[in-house]
Amino acid sequence: MDTVFGKIIAGEIQAEKLYEDEHCIVIPDINPAAPVHLLVIPKKPLAMLSEADEDDQLLLGHLMLVVAKMANQLGVADGYRVIINNGAGGGQTVFHLHIHIIAGFEMKESDM
Ligand code: AMP
């Protein structure tokens, strides 16, 4: 729990929790890349997707449903992007698994 997200989950660092349940929180990204940029963060301190295993199957499915629920709530269900950066080579900077929800700008295939 020693990453910034672990500290937010533990209540040691303040963040606006847009959603919370027993498995995850959703917060706005502090440095948004688009008008809508949220992070869905599991409470379980998995460092990255590649460290997930079969025990995490239900959790990972739950996180994806929370992504869809948040996009619906924010009115962007018809156009958003879901990103997981995995490992330093994948652009990950905080080593506590999180899913980016990004919306509100024109997305092209070439933006990937
Ligand atoms: P990644 O590069 O996939 O590891 O993404 C980490 C994200 O966490 C970046 O988009 C940061 O802007 C965001 N971030 C870092 N610290 C905070 C924080 N205290 N609250 C919200 N978002 C944060």
Side-chain angles (χ1 to χ4, degrees):
M1 283 289 189
D2 55 356
T3 68
V4 63
F5 296 159
K7 290 184 172 137
I8 288 170
I9 289 162
E12 294 163 13
I13 293 178
Q14 291 306 304
E16 182 191 359
K17 290 182 190 160
L18 302 172
Y19 174 84
E20 179 168 17
D21 65 27
E22 63 178 311
H23 301 297
C24 67
I25 60 169
V26 180
I27 61 171
D29 196 292
I30 204 167
N31 185 22
V36 174
H37 188 169
L38 308 184
L39 302 171
V40 180
I41 307 170
K43 291 184 175 176
K44 179 174 176 177
L46 272 170
M48 62 184 92
L49 184 62
S50 57
E51 292 192 359
D53 63 25
E54 308 241 315
D55 289 345
D56 300 309
Q57 188 164 324
L58 282 175
L59 174 62
L60 295 176
H62 178 73
L63 297 177
M64 295 308 287
L65 290 175
V66 170
V67 166
K69 186 189 294 191
M70 294 307 298
N72 288 343
Q73 260 180 35
L74 291 166
V76 297
D78 62 338
Y80 60 95
R81 182 161 285 179
V82 178
I83 296 171
I84 298 175
N85 295 324
N86 190 86
Q92 185 173 6
T93 58
V94 178
F95 287 85
H96 181 131
L97 177 64
H98 51 282
I99 304 175
H100 297 257
I101 307 173
I102 296 175
F105 68 111
E106 196 183 337
M107 285 175 271
K108 306 185 192 91
E109 191 66 24
S110 57
D111 292 334
M112 289 195 61

